[in-house]
Amino acid sequence: MPDDVLRVVGALHDEFRQAAFPRRLVVDDVAGVEMVTLASGVDGCVSAWLEHEGHIDDRRWNHLAECEQRLIRVMPALKGAEATYYQRLLDMTALILEIDA
């Protein structure tokens, strides 16, 4: 796996971790998706992928693929900082699934 993908995902993950979670989404679901759970699920999988230098087990890969579909479903309903926050998650997810396919 190219080192640049690790660097890009690592940088996105750092930005994600430093960003404030959108307040409204603590209590509001979007398109039937619980947004806190979605963010924490992706974060856990990305963290594991980074810790294992670009590798995750099948269970996490499958979970990440499910999260990608949820992210695709909710993105049109998000605006501003909410969209930016979740776009980072989608970008990380897409990069990992593409490289690990």
Side-chain angles (χ1 to χ4, degrees), residues 16-76:
F16 164 75
R17 289 260 173 122
Q18 292 173 12
F21 188 84
R23 291 184 103 115
R24 175 182 77 89
L25 300 179
V26 170
V27 293
D28 288 348
D29 292 353
V30 175
V33 175
E34 205 287 312
M35 302 302 285
V36 173
T37 302
L38 178 59
S40 65
V42 172
D43 181 36
C45 292
V46 171
S47 293
W49 186 83
L50 289 168
E51 287 172 19
H52 294 101
E53 298 179 358
H55 301 284
I56 54 174
D57 58 40
D58 289 343
R59 181 181 62 83
R60 284 188 179 97
W61 195 95
N62 290 335
H63 182 69
L64 206 53
E66 291 170 6
C67 288
E68 180 184 41
Q69 293 307 305
R70 290 184 191 113
L71 286 162
I72 290 167
R73 188 167 75 225
V74 302
M75 285 306 299

